[in-house]
């Protein structure tokens, strides 16, 4: 199904800022992913409220093309949600999950406890894979995490080094205008509140996206193939959307409660966003978040 409409394109042009906020690796480790709450909320919403019959792991499995015996390295594995789905397709294989944040890595270890497929967990940054020898993996994947990695060129060179001949690298990322409806209600509420200018920088994803990823990957891989799909999350109740929005750290705005803005600021922001979402649900039955997403398959 094609969700792209001229109206949505116009909204993206009007709403997505040129200047994108960049997260630091320290923030990813020490602020955003200290525990699994953000990840749990967003994964649940992507899965439960989707309209694309294929779930994320189905799309990844198509691109991973597994035989069942491969060694897979998952960069930025988070809480192991995806490894749990993919692991049965690697019953005679081996999985290594790497993440910069010890809290989510511990949750991944816990989640996979007791499965017979060997799983190892490594704390580290995806741009330093020096703990792995050359040609040690058949598959490497980096799912919605590359925009956090400080040195992407070094990361891709490292992935190339640890991949066996015939292996493949899978990088999942979005188009920058993905989920523009969320940014529209968010920025509209911020404008009403006369919020500080730095909050209008959102989504760090433009650093590497489906629009600019190929040019960053081609120096390292002979073949870079872009595969895209669309989805639309449809929320008939504002509360699950608000959990999702909170899970996105209020659109990855350059702030968070307690740091440089009082908690009341975010209470008011949420109330305003809730009212906007409620009003859409009243007239259209649901609030839609249109996803333009995909993967680069590299070998
Ligand atoms: C949005 S989550 C995605 C998790 C998982 N790949 C998924 O799709 O369910 C991003 C993950 O990347 C991790 N991360 C951030 N910077 C990283 C880095 N430099 N190296 C490795 N992991 C990193 C975070 O801790 C977090 O678990």
């Amino acid at each position: 199904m094609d969700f792209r409409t001229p109206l949505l394109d116009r909204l993206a042009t009007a709403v997505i800022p040129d200047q994108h906020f960049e997260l630091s690796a320290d923030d990813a480790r020490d602020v955003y992913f200290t525990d699994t709450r953000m990840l749990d909320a967003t994964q649940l919403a992507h899965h439960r409220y989707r309209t694309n019959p294929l779930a994320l792991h189905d799309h990844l499995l198509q691109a991973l093309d597994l035989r069942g015996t491969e060694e897979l390295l998952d960069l930025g594995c988070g809480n192991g949600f995806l490894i749990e789905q993919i692991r049965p397709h690697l019953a005679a294989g081996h999985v290594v999950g790497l993440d910069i944040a010890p809290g989510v890595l511990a949750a991944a270890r816990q989640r996979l406890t007791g499965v017979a497929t060997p799983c190892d967990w490594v704390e580290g940054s995806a741009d330093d894979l020096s703990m792995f020898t050359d040609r040690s993996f058949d598959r490497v994947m980096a799912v919605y995490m590359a925009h956090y990695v400080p040195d992407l060129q070094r990361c891709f060179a490292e992935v190339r080094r640890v991949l066996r001949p015939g292996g493949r690298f899978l990088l999942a990322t979005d188009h920058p205008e993905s989920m523009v409806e969320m940014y529209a209600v968010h920025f509209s509420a911020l404008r009403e509140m006369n919020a500080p200018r730095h909050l209008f920088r959102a989504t760090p994803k433009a650093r590497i996206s489906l629009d600019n990823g190929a040019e960053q990957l081609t120096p390292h891989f002979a073949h870079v193939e872009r595969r895209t799909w669309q989805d639309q999350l449809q929320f008939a109740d504002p509360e699950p959307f608000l959990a999702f929005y909170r899970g996105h750290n209020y659109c990855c705005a350059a702030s968070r409660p307690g740091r440089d803005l009082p908690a009341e600021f975010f209470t008011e922001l949420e109330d305003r966003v809730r009212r906007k979402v409620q009003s859409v649900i009243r007239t259209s039955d649901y609030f839609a978040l249109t996803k333009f997403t995909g993967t680069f398959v590299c070998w």
Side-chain angles (χ1 to χ4, degrees), residues 28 33 39 43 76 78 82 99-101 104 124-126 143-145 148 150:
F33 297 106
L39 268 175
Q43 286 161 343
L82 289 172
D99 203 284
I100 202 168
V104 295
S125 183
V143 181
Y144 302 117
M145 64 76 65
Y148 295 108

Side-chain angles (χ1 to χ4, degrees), residues 2-13:
D2 190 357
F3 290 109
R4 198 173 279 281
T5 61
L7 193 66
L8 214 53
D9 284 345
R10 278 201 296 281
L11 189 64
T13 312

